[in-house]
Amino acid sequence: MKKKIIMLGLALGLGLGTYTTTNIVPTSFAASTEEMANSVDPTELEYTVQTARYLLENFPNTVKGKVRDKLEKQLAAAEALLEEVYEFKRQYAPTDNLNIRVKNQIRANLDARNEKFTVNVNSYTNNQQITDWFLETAKEDWYFFYSMYDRANVATKYNPKKAKDGRVYVDSVTFTISYRGDAEAERMVEEFADQWIADNIKDYDSDYRKALKIHDFIATANQYNRGDSKAMSGGYSIYHPASILFGNGGVCNAYATLFDKLGSKAGLDVRYATGSSKKTGEPHIWNMVKINDHWYNLDVTWDDPTINFNEGHVENLNEFVIYDYFLKSDKEMRPSREIDKDINRPLGVMRLNHGLKNASIEMVNGEYRVVR
């Protein structure tokens, strides 16, 4: 394989007992061995082989007889080819793009919301490095990481026979993933967000006006809720935006990711900020938003306080909203929280005097009402 790289594409369709395959095609390159080794990315073949093997093992009655035998031979040949590619890269690629290969496989499975999948590694690395690559990949989409992703179990398969010079050799890694929401919850949030933006955000709205509209909507849409049972609120994870839109309320993750979703669709430049409450020490997440070329902090969670009013029934209590943490500088936020050092979080150095007044509860025409 010094002068050629063999690429094989295997397309498998098991619906209605049919399948298609393509032949092995050798391709020559007028390039150095090192350049060839660095350029090979077997990710697509790895994923296809992995998927085909999973289907054959878990749905054995779909393909039978001679068809199955033929497919098994093709898969075996593809797996042998992959091992040749791995060996070729180990020998001739001084900067083996292992991290790219592993991340590509992880990304494809996370995008598909697969709950359990195996990544082919076939190289020298370790469990900590793979865990770091996983987290780096999951954090490529911060909305996914803070709303959808829950936790992962990483099971690493080592090959002690190939250990060398104090380095461990990893054959494969199996990830077991827990998600905070399913495809239906994601679809519902997307559809709601699109419709809300169409109904409420106008072309002539300034970025300030957009941020205010979204802030007020989220703060009055529902209430903070640590969960009805087992971190669920009305059937939705308290960390997912669906808990605010369709459940009984959620926690800071739900507030921040919902602002991110609506803000992004409205054309705002939005980032996340994390830290911890100085009062309770609990981890906390909020948003940064760019207004007139300056970054500001915006914390909808803490602008939606829990109100205990004992003097009587309040007709519209769900409309209570304050602006203590709306478009604030880092300096204005620090008395209430520790702010994590994060290269992804822009600095909020400017102060904006928006002049907005907090809601209050007053007697109006013989009944208590929220006045804004």
Side-chain angles (χ1 to χ4, degrees), residues 129-210:
Q129 182 66 79
I130 292 171
T131 299
D132 290 343
W133 290 339
F134 174 84
L135 289 174
E136 289 170 10
T137 306
K139 290 178 179 178
E140 290 174 353
D141 182 347
W142 289 102
Y143 174 84
F144 163 79
F145 185 74
Y146 286 122
S147 68
M148 288 298 301
Y149 170 72
D150 186 13
R151 63 177 63 90
N153 175 267
V154 182
T156 306
K157 183 180 178 182
Y158 296 97
N159 189 334
K161 294 182 179 179
K162 293 186 178 181
K164 184 173 64 174
D165 299 329
R167 295 183 300 164
V168 295
Y169 188 92
V170 177
D171 282 337
S172 62
V173 180
T174 298
F175 295 90
T176 304
I177 313 296
S178 296
Y179 298 98
R180 289 169 170 161
D182 56 19
E184 179 62 13
E186 291 190 71
R187 183 193 65 78
M188 292 170 62
V189 169
E190 286 292 330
E191 289 187 356
F192 181 94
D194 288 338
Q195 190 61 55
W196 191 91
I197 293 297
D199 293 342
N200 294 277
I201 301 299
K202 309 304 180 184
D203 292 339
Y204 52 79
D205 281 339
S206 65
D207 287 347
Y208 169 83
R209 186 64 181 168
K210 292 175 183 177

Coordinates of all heavy atoms in Angstrom, one line a residue, residues 129-210:
Q129 N -7.9 10.6 26.7 CA -7.8 11.4 25.4 C -9.1 11.2 24.6 O -9.7 12.2 24.1 CB -6.7 10.9 24.6 CG -6.5 11.7 23.3 CD -6.1 13.1 23.5 OE1 -5.0 13.4 23.7 NE2 -7.1 14.0 23.3
I130 N -9.7 10.0 24.6 CA -10.9 9.8 23.9 C -12.1 10.5 24.6 O -12.9 11.0 23.9 CB -11.2 8.2 23.8 CG1 -10.1 7.6 22.9 CG2 -12.6 8.0 23.3 CD1 -10.1 6.1 22.9
T131 N -12.1 10.5 25.9 CA -13.1 11.2 26.6 C -13.1 12.7 26.3 O -14.1 13.4 26.1 CB -13.0 11.0 28.1 OG1 -13.1 9.6 28.4 CG2 -14.0 11.8 28.9
D132 N -11.9 13.3 26.2 CA -11.7 14.7 25.9 C -12.2 14.9 24.4 O -12.9 16.0 24.2 CB -10.2 15.1 26.0 CG -9.7 15.1 27.4 OD1 -10.6 15.2 28.3 OD2 -8.5 15.1 27.6
W133 N -11.9 14.0 23.5 CA -12.4 14.2 22.1 C -13.9 14.2 22.1 O -14.5 14.9 21.3 CB -11.8 13.1 21.2 CG -10.3 13.3 21.0 CD1 -9.6 14.5 21.1 CD2 -9.4 12.3 20.6 NE1 -8.3 14.2 20.8 CE2 -8.1 12.9 20.5 CE3 -9.5 11.0 20.2 CZ2 -7.0 12.2 20.1 CZ3 -8.3 10.3 19.9 CH2 -7.1 10.9 19.8
F134 N -14.5 13.3 22.9 CA -15.9 13.2 22.9 C -16.5 14.5 23.4 O -17.5 15.0 22.8 CB -16.4 12.1 23.8 CG -17.9 12.0 24.0 CD1 -18.7 11.4 23.1 CD2 -18.5 12.7 25.1 CE1 -20.1 11.4 23.3 CE2 -19.8 12.7 25.3 CZ -20.6 12.0 24.4
L135 N -16.0 15.0 24.5 CA -16.6 16.3 25.0 C -16.4 17.5 24.1 O -17.2 18.3 23.9 CB -15.9 16.6 26.4 CG -16.4 15.7 27.5 CD1 -15.6 16.0 28.8 CD2 -17.9 15.8 27.8
E136 N -15.2 17.5 23.4 CA -14.9 18.5 22.4 C -16.0 18.5 21.3 O -16.5 19.5 20.8 CB -13.5 18.4 21.9 CG -12.4 18.8 22.9 CD -11.1 18.4 22.4 OE1 -10.9 18.0 21.2 OE2 -10.1 18.5 23.2
T137 N -16.3 17.3 20.9 CA -17.3 17.1 19.8 C -18.7 17.5 20.3 O -19.4 18.2 19.5 CB -17.3 15.6 19.3 OG1 -15.9 15.2 18.9 CG2 -18.2 15.5 18.1
A138 N -19.1 17.0 21.4 CA -20.4 17.3 22.0 C -20.6 18.8 22.2 O -21.7 19.4 22.0 CB -20.6 16.6 23.3
K139 N -19.5 19.5 22.5 CA -19.5 21.0 22.7 C -19.4 21.8 21.4 O -19.5 23.0 21.5 CB -18.4 21.4 23.7 CG -18.7 20.9 25.1 CD -17.5 21.3 26.1 CE -17.8 20.8 27.5 NZ -16.7 21.1 28.4
E140 N -19.3 21.2 20.3 CA -19.3 21.9 19.1 C -20.7 22.6 18.9 O -20.8 23.7 18.2 CB -19.0 21.0 17.9 CG -17.6 20.5 17.8 CD -17.4 19.5 16.7 OE1 -18.4 19.0 16.1 OE2 -16.2 19.1 16.5
D141 N -21.7 22.0 19.4 CA -23.1 22.6 19.4 C -23.5 22.8 20.8 O -23.9 21.9 21.5 CB -24.0 21.6 18.7 CG -25.4 22.2 18.6 OD1 -25.7 23.2 19.2 OD2 -26.3 21.6 17.9
W142 N -23.3 24.1 21.3 CA -23.6 24.4 22.7 C -25.0 24.2 23.1 O -25.3 23.8 24.2 CB -23.1 25.8 23.0 CG -21.6 25.9 23.0 CD1 -20.8 26.4 22.0 CD2 -20.7 25.5 24.0 NE1 -19.5 26.4 22.3 CE2 -19.4 25.8 23.6 CE3 -20.9 24.9 25.3 CZ2 -18.3 25.5 24.3 CZ3 -19.7 24.6 26.0 CH2 -18.4 24.9 25.6
Y143 N -25.9 24.5 22.1 CA -27.3 24.2 22.4 C -27.6 22.8 22.7 O -28.3 22.4 23.7 CB -28.2 24.7 21.2 CG -29.7 24.4 21.4 CD1 -30.5 25.2 22.1 CD2 -30.2 23.2 20.8 CE1 -31.8 24.9 22.2 CE2 -31.5 22.9 20.9 CZ -32.3 23.7 21.7 OH -33.7 23.4 21.8
F144 N -27.0 21.9 21.9 CA -27.1 20.5 22.1 C -26.5 20.1 23.4 O -27.2 19.3 24.2 CB -26.4 19.7 21.0 CG -26.2 18.2 21.3 CD1 -27.1 17.3 21.2 CD2 -24.9 17.8 21.7 CE1 -26.9 16.0 21.5 CE2 -24.6 16.5 22.0 CZ -25.6 15.6 21.9
F145 N -25.4 20.6 23.7 CA -24.7 20.2 25.0 C -25.4 20.6 26.2 O -25.5 19.8 27.2 CB -23.3 20.8 25.0 CG -22.4 20.3 26.1 CD1 -21.9 19.1 26.1 CD2 -22.2 21.2 27.2 CE1 -21.1 18.6 27.2 CE2 -21.4 20.7 28.3 CZ -20.9 19.5 28.3
Y146 N -26.0 21.8 26.2 CA -26.7 22.2 27.4 C -28.1 21.8 27.5 O -28.7 21.9 28.6 CB -26.5 23.7 27.6 CG -25.2 24.2 27.9 CD1 -24.4 25.1 27.1 CD2 -24.6 23.8 29.1 CE1 -23.2 25.5 27.5 CE2 -23.3 24.2 29.5 CZ -22.6 25.1 28.6 OH -21.3 25.5 29.0
S147 N -28.8 21.5 26.4 CA -30.2 21.1 26.5 C -30.4 19.6 26.3 O -31.2 19.0 27.0 CB -31.0 21.9 25.5 OG -30.6 21.5 24.1
M148 N -29.8 19.0 25.3 CA -30.0 17.7 24.9 C -29.1 16.6 25.5 O -29.6 15.6 26.0 CB -29.9 17.5 23.3 CG -31.0 18.2 22.6 SD -32.6 17.5 22.9 CE -32.3 15.8 22.4
Y149 N -27.9 16.9 25.6 CA -26.9 16.0 26.1 C -27.0 15.8 27.7 O -27.1 16.9 28.4 CB -25.5 16.4 25.8 CG -24.4 15.5 26.4 CD1 -24.2 14.2 26.1 CD2 -23.6 16.1 27.5 CE1 -23.2 13.5 26.7 CE2 -22.7 15.4 28.1 CZ -22.5 14.0 27.7 OH -21.5 13.3 28.4
D150 N -27.0 14.6 28.2 CA -27.1 14.4 29.6 C -25.8 13.8 30.1 O -25.1 14.5 30.9 CB -28.3 13.4 29.9 CG -28.5 13.3 31.4 OD1 -27.9 14.1 32.2 OD2 -29.2 12.4 31.8
R151 N -25.5 12.6 29.7 CA -24.2 12.0 30.2 C -23.8 10.9 29.3 O -24.6 10.4 28.4 CB -24.4 11.4 31.6 CG -25.4 10.3 31.7 CD -25.5 9.7 33.1 NE -26.0 10.7 34.1 CZ -27.3 10.9 34.4 NH1 -28.2 10.2 33.7 NH2 -27.6 11.8 35.2
A152 N -22.6 10.4 29.4 CA -22.0 9.4 28.6 C -21.2 8.4 29.4 O -20.5 8.8 30.3 CB -21.2 9.9 27.4
N153 N -21.3 7.1 29.1 CA -20.4 6.1 29.6 C -19.5 5.7 28.5 O -19.9 5.4 27.4 CB -21.2 4.9 30.2 CG -20.3 3.8 30.6 OD1 -20.0 2.9 29.9 ND2 -19.9 3.8 31.9
V154 N -18.2 5.6 28.9 CA -17.2 5.3 27.9 C -16.5 4.0 28.3 O -15.9 3.9 29.3 CB -16.1 6.4 27.8 CG1 -15.1 6.1 26.7 CG2 -16.7 7.7 27.5
A155 N -16.6 3.0 27.4 CA -16.0 1.6 27.7 C -14.9 1.4 26.6 O -15.2 1.3 25.4 CB -17.1 0.5 27.6
T156 N -13.7 1.4 27.1 CA -12.5 1.3 26.1 C -12.0 -0.1 26.0 O -11.8 -0.8 27.1 CB -11.4 2.2 26.6 OG1 -11.9 3.5 26.8 CG2 -10.3 2.2 25.6
K157 N -11.9 -0.6 24.8 CA -11.3 -2.0 24.6 C -9.9 -1.9 24.2 O -9.5 -1.4 23.1 CB -12.1 -2.7 23.5 CG -11.7 -4.1 23.2 CD -12.5 -4.7 22.1 CE -12.0 -6.2 21.8 NZ -12.7 -6.8 20.7
Y158 N -9.0 -2.3 25.1 CA -7.5 -2.2 24.9 C -7.0 -3.5 24.3 O -7.7 -4.6 24.4 CB -6.8 -2.0 26.2 CG -7.1 -0.7 26.8 CD1 -8.0 -0.6 27.8 CD2 -6.4 0.5 26.4 CE1 -8.3 0.7 28.4 CE2 -6.7 1.7 27.0 CZ -7.6 1.8 28.0 OH -7.9 3.0 28.6
N159 N -5.9 -3.4 23.6 CA -5.2 -4.6 23.0 C -3.8 -4.7 23.6 O -2.9 -4.1 23.1 CB -5.2 -4.5 21.5 CG -4.7 -5.8 20.8 OD1 -4.0 -6.6 21.4 ND2 -5.1 -6.0 19.6
P160 N -3.6 -5.4 24.7 CA -2.3 -5.4 25.3 C -1.2 -6.0 24.5 O 0.0 -5.7 24.7 CB -2.6 -6.3 26.6 CG -3.8 -7.1 26.2 CD -4.6 -6.3 25.4
K161 N -1.6 -6.8 23.5 CA -0.5 -7.4 22.6 C 0.2 -6.4 21.7 O 1.3 -6.6 21.3 CB -1.2 -8.5 21.7 CG -1.7 -9.7 22.5 CD -2.3 -10.8 21.6 CE -2.8 -12.0 22.4 NZ -3.4 -13.0 21.4
K162 N -0.5 -5.3 21.5 CA 0.0 -4.2 20.6 C 0.6 -3.1 21.4 O 1.1 -2.1 20.8 CB -1.0 -3.7 19.7 CG -1.5 -4.8 18.6 CD -2.4 -4.2 17.6 CE -2.8 -5.2 16.6 NZ -3.7 -4.6 15.5
A163 N 0.6 -3.2 22.8 CA 1.2 -2.1 23.6 C 2.7 -2.0 23.2 O 3.4 -3.0 23.0 CB 1.0 -2.4 25.0
K164 N 3.2 -0.7 23.2 CA 4.6 -0.6 22.8 C 5.2 0.7 23.4 O 4.5 1.8 23.4 CB 4.7 -0.5 21.3 CG 6.1 -0.4 20.7 CD 6.2 -0.5 19.2 CE 5.5 0.6 18.6 NZ 5.6 0.6 17.1
D165 N 6.4 0.6 24.0 CA 7.1 1.8 24.5 C 6.2 2.5 25.5 O 6.2 3.8 25.5 CB 7.5 2.7 23.4 CG 8.4 2.1 22.4 OD1 9.2 1.2 22.8 OD2 8.4 2.4 21.2
G166 N 5.5 1.8 26.4 CA 4.7 2.4 27.4 C 3.4 3.0 26.9 O 2.7 3.6 27.7
R167 N 3.1 2.8 25.6 CA 1.9 3.3 25.1 C 0.8 2.2 25.0 O 1.2 1.1 24.6 CB 2.1 4.0 23.7 CG 3.0 5.2 23.7 CD 3.1 5.8 22.3 NE 3.6 4.8 21.4 CZ 3.5 4.9 20.0 NH1 2.9 5.9 19.5 NH2 4.1 4.0 19.3
V168 N -0.4 2.5 25.3 CA -1.5 1.5 25.2 C -2.1 1.6 23.8 O -2.2 2.7 23.2 CB -2.5 1.7 26.3 CG1 -1.9 1.5 27.7 CG2 -3.1 3.1 26.2
Y169 N -2.6 0.5 23.4 CA -3.3 0.4 22.0 C -4.7 0.1 22.3 O -5.1 -0.8 22.9 CB -2.7 -0.8 21.2 CG -3.1 -0.8 19.8 CD1 -2.4 -0.2 18.8 CD2 -4.3 -1.5 19.4 CE1 -2.8 -0.2 17.5 CE2 -4.7 -1.5 18.1 CZ -4.0 -0.9 17.1 OH -4.4 -0.9 15.8
V170 N -5.6 1.0 21.6 CA -7.0 0.9 21.8 C -7.6 0.4 20.5 O -7.4 0.9 19.4 CB -7.6 2.3 22.1 CG1 -9.1 2.2 22.2 CG2 -7.0 2.8 23.4
D171 N -8.3 -0.8 20.6 CA -9.0 -1.3 19.4 C -10.3 -0.5 19.1 O -10.5 -0.1 18.0 CB -9.4 -2.8 19.7 CG -8.3 -3.7 19.5 OD1 -7.3 -3.4 18.8 OD2 -8.3 -4.8 20.1
S172 N -11.1 -0.3 20.2 CA -12.4 0.4 19.9 C -12.9 1.0 21.3 O -12.4 0.7 22.3 CB -13.4 -0.5 19.4 OG -13.7 -1.6 20.3
V173 N -13.9 1.9 21.1 CA -14.5 2.4 22.3 C -16.0 2.4 22.1 O -16.5 2.8 21.0 CB -14.1 3.9 22.5 CG1 -14.8 4.5 23.8 CG2 -12.6 4.0 22.7
T174 N -16.7 2.0 23.1 CA -18.2 1.9 23.1 C -18.8 3.0 24.0 O -18.4 3.1 25.1 CB -18.8 0.6 23.5 OG1 -18.3 -0.4 22.6 CG2 -20.3 0.6 23.4
F175 N -19.6 3.9 23.4 CA -20.2 5.0 24.1 C -21.7 4.6 24.4 O -22.4 4.2 23.5 CB -20.2 6.3 23.3 CG -18.8 6.8 23.1 CD1 -18.1 6.4 22.0 CD2 -18.2 7.7 24.0 CE1 -16.8 6.9 21.8 CE2 -16.9 8.2 23.8 CZ -16.2 7.8 22.7
T176 N -22.1 4.8 25.6 CA -23.6 4.7 25.9 C -24.0 6.1 26.4 O -23.5 6.6 27.4 CB -23.8 3.7 27.1 OG1 -23.2 2.4 26.7 CG2 -25.3 3.5 27.3
I177 N -24.9 6.7 25.6 CA -25.3 8.1 25.8 C -26.7 8.2 26.3 O -27.6 7.5 25.9 CB -25.3 8.9 24.5 CG1 -23.9 8.6 23.7 CG2 -25.4 10.4 24.7 CD1 -22.7 9.0 24.5
S178 N -26.9 9.2 27.3 CA -28.3 9.5 27.7 C -28.6 10.9 27.2 O -27.7 11.8 27.3 CB -28.3 9.5 29.3 OG -28.1 8.2 29.8
Y179 N -29.8 11.1 26.6 CA -30.2 12.3 26.1 C -31.3 12.9 27.0 O -32.1 12.1 27.6 CB -30.7 12.2 24.7 CG -29.6 11.8 23.7 CD1 -29.5 10.4 23.3 CD2 -28.7 12.7 23.2 CE1 -28.5 10.0 22.5 CE2 -27.7 12.3 22.3 CZ -27.6 10.9 22.0 OH -26.6 10.5 21.1
R180 N -31.5 14.2 27.0 CA -32.5 14.8 27.8 C -33.9 15.0 27.1 O -34.9 15.4 27.7 CB -32.0 16.2 28.3 CG -31.0 16.0 29.4 CD -30.3 17.4 29.6 NE -29.4 17.3 30.8 CZ -28.5 18.2 31.0 NH1 -28.2 19.2 30.2 NH2 -27.7 18.1 32.1
G181 N -33.9 14.7 25.8 CA -35.1 14.9 25.1 C -35.1 14.0 23.9 O -34.0 13.6 23.4
D182 N -36.2 13.7 23.3 CA -36.3 12.8 22.1 C -36.5 13.7 20.9 O -36.6 14.9 21.0 CB -37.4 11.8 22.3 CG -38.7 12.4 22.6 OD1 -39.0 13.6 22.3 OD2 -39.6 11.6 23.1
A183 N -36.6 13.0 19.8 CA -36.8 13.7 18.5 C -38.1 14.5 18.4 O -38.1 15.6 17.8 CB -36.7 12.7 17.3
E184 N -39.1 14.0 19.1 CA -40.4 14.7 19.1 C -40.3 16.0 19.8 O -40.8 17.0 19.4 CB -41.5 13.8 19.7 CG -42.9 14.4 19.7 CD -43.4 14.7 18.4 OE1 -42.9 14.3 17.4 OE2 -44.5 15.5 18.4
A185 N -39.6 16.0 21.0 CA -39.5 17.2 21.8 C -38.7 18.2 21.0 O -39.0 19.4 21.0 CB -38.8 16.9 23.1
E186 N -37.6 17.8 20.3 CA -36.8 18.7 19.5 C -37.7 19.3 18.3 O -37.6 20.5 18.0 CB -35.6 18.0 18.9 CG -34.6 17.6 19.9 CD -33.3 17.1 19.3 OE1 -32.6 17.9 18.7 OE2 -33.1 15.9 19.4
R187 N -38.5 18.4 17.7 CA -39.3 18.9 16.6 C -40.3 20.0 17.1 O -40.5 21.0 16.5 CB -40.1 17.8 16.0 CG -40.9 18.1 14.8 CD -41.9 17.0 14.4 NE -42.8 16.8 15.4 CZ -43.9 17.5 15.7 NH1 -44.1 18.6 14.9 NH2 -44.8 17.2 16.6
M188 N -40.9 19.7 18.3 CA -41.9 20.6 18.8 C -41.3 22.0 19.1 O -41.9 23.0 18.9 CB -42.5 20.0 20.1 CG -43.4 18.8 19.8 SD -43.9 17.9 21.3 CE -44.9 19.2 22.1
V189 N -40.1 22.0 19.7 CA -39.4 23.2 20.0 C -39.1 24.0 18.8 O -39.3 25.2 18.7 CB -38.1 22.9 20.9 CG1 -37.3 24.2 21.0 CG2 -38.5 22.4 22.2
E190 N -38.6 23.3 17.8 CA -38.2 24.0 16.5 C -39.4 24.6 15.8 O -39.4 25.7 15.4 CB -37.6 22.9 15.5 CG -36.2 22.5 15.9 CD -35.2 23.7 15.7 OE1 -35.4 24.5 14.8 OE2 -34.2 23.7 16.5
E191 N -40.5 23.9 15.8 CA -41.7 24.4 15.2 C -42.3 25.6 15.9 O -42.7 26.6 15.4 CB -42.8 23.3 15.1 CG -42.5 22.2 14.0 CD -43.6 21.3 13.8 OE1 -44.6 21.4 14.5 OE2 -43.5 20.4 12.9
F192 N -42.3 25.5 17.3 CA -42.8 26.6 18.1 C -41.9 27.8 17.9 O -42.4 28.9 17.7 CB -42.8 26.2 19.6 CG -43.3 27.3 20.5 CD1 -44.6 27.3 20.8 CD2 -42.4 28.3 20.9 CE1 -45.1 28.4 21.6 CE2 -42.9 29.3 21.7 CZ -44.2 29.4 22.1
A193 N -40.6 27.6 17.9 CA -39.6 28.7 17.8 C -39.8 29.4 16.4 O -39.9 30.7 16.4 CB -38.2 28.2 17.9
D194 N -40.0 28.7 15.4 CA -40.2 29.3 14.0 C -41.5 30.1 14.0 O -41.5 31.2 13.5 CB -40.2 28.2 13.0 CG -38.9 27.6 12.7 OD1 -37.8 28.2 13.0 OD2 -38.8 26.4 12.2
Q195 N -42.5 29.5 14.6 CA -43.8 30.2 14.6 C -43.8 31.5 15.4 O -44.3 32.5 15.1 CB -44.9 29.3 15.0 CG -46.3 29.9 14.8 CD -46.6 30.2 13.3 OE1 -46.5 29.3 12.5 NE2 -47.0 31.4 13.0
W196 N -43.1 31.4 16.6 CA -43.1 32.5 17.5 C -42.3 33.7 16.9 O -42.7 34.8 17.0 CB -42.4 32.1 18.9 CG -42.6 33.1 19.9 CD1 -43.6 33.2 20.8 CD2 -41.7 34.2 20.2 NE1 -43.4 34.4 21.6 CE2 -42.2 35.0 21.2 CE3 -40.5 34.7 19.6 CZ2 -41.6 36.1 21.7 CZ3 -39.9 35.8 20.1 CH2 -40.4 36.5 21.1
I197 N -41.2 33.3 16.3 CA -40.4 34.4 15.6 C -41.2 35.0 14.5 O -41.2 36.3 14.4 CB -39.1 33.8 15.0 CG1 -38.2 33.3 16.1 CG2 -38.4 34.8 14.1 CD1 -37.7 34.4 17.0
A198 N -41.9 34.2 13.7 CA -42.8 34.8 12.6 C -43.8 35.7 13.2 O -44.2 36.7 12.5 CB -43.4 33.7 11.8
D199 N -44.4 35.4 14.3 CA -45.5 36.1 14.9 C -45.1 37.4 15.7 O -45.8 38.3 15.8 CB -46.3 35.3 15.8 CG -47.1 34.2 15.1 OD1 -47.2 34.3 13.8 OD2 -47.5 33.2 15.7
N200 N -43.8 37.4 16.2 CA -43.5 38.4 17.2 C -42.3 39.3 16.8 O -42.2 40.4 17.3 CB -43.2 37.7 18.5 CG -44.4 37.1 19.1 OD1 -45.2 37.8 19.8 ND2 -44.5 35.8 18.9
I201 N -41.4 38.8 16.0 CA -40.2 39.6 15.6 C -40.4 40.2 14.2 O -40.7 39.5 13.2 CB -38.9 38.7 15.6 CG1 -38.7 38.0 17.0 CG2 -37.7 39.5 15.2 CD1 -38.5 39.0 18.1
K202 N -40.3 41.5 14.2 CA -40.5 42.3 13.0 C -39.1 42.6 12.3 O -38.1 42.7 13.0 CB -41.3 43.6 13.2 CG -42.5 43.3 14.0 CD -43.5 42.3 13.4 CE -44.7 42.1 14.2 NZ -45.6 41.1 13.6
D203 N -39.2 42.9 11.0 CA -37.9 43.2 10.3 C -37.3 44.5 10.8 O -36.1 44.7 10.8 CB -38.3 43.4 8.8 CG -38.6 42.0 8.1 OD1 -38.3 41.0 8.7 OD2 -39.2 42.1 7.1
Y204 N -38.2 45.4 11.3 CA -37.7 46.7 11.8 C -37.2 46.7 13.3 O -36.8 47.7 13.8 CB -38.7 47.8 11.5 CG -40.1 47.5 12.1 CD1 -40.4 47.6 13.5 CD2 -41.1 47.0 11.3 CE1 -41.6 47.3 14.0 CE2 -42.4 46.7 11.8 CZ -42.6 46.9 13.1 OH -43.8 46.6 13.6
D205 N -37.4 45.6 13.9 CA -37.0 45.5 15.3 C -35.5 45.6 15.5 O -34.7 44.9 14.8 CB -37.5 44.2 16.0 CG -38.9 44.1 16.3 OD1 -39.5 45.2 16.5 OD2 -39.5 43.0 16.5
S206 N -35.0 46.4 16.4 CA -33.6 46.5 16.7 C -33.2 45.3 17.5 O -34.0 44.5 18.0 CB -33.3 47.8 17.5 OG -34.0 47.7 18.8
D207 N -31.9 45.1 17.6 CA -31.4 43.9 18.4 C -31.8 44.1 19.8 O -32.2 43.1 20.5 CB -29.9 43.8 18.3 CG -29.4 43.3 16.9 OD1 -30.3 42.8 16.2 OD2 -28.2 43.4 16.6
Y208 N -31.8 45.3 20.3 CA -32.3 45.5 21.7 C -33.8 45.1 21.9 O -34.1 44.4 22.8 CB -32.1 47.0 22.1 CG -32.8 47.4 23.4 CD1 -32.2 47.2 24.6 CD2 -34.1 47.9 23.3 CE1 -32.9 47.5 25.8 CE2 -34.8 48.3 24.5 CZ -34.2 48.1 25.7 OH -34.8 48.4 26.9
R209 N -34.6 45.5 20.9 CA -36.0 45.2 21.0 C -36.2 43.7 20.9 O -37.1 43.1 21.6 CB -36.7 45.9 19.8 CG -38.3 45.8 19.9 CD -38.8 46.4 21.1 NE -40.3 46.3 21.2 CZ -41.0 46.5 22.2 NH1 -40.4 46.9 23.4 NH2 -42.3 46.4 22.2
K210 N -35.5 43.0 20.0 CA -35.6 41.6 19.9 C -35.2 40.9 21.2 O -36.0 40.0 21.7 CB -34.7 41.0 18.8 CG -35.0 41.5 17.4 CD -34.0 41.0 16.4 CE -34.3 41.4 15.0 NZ -33.2 41.0 14.0

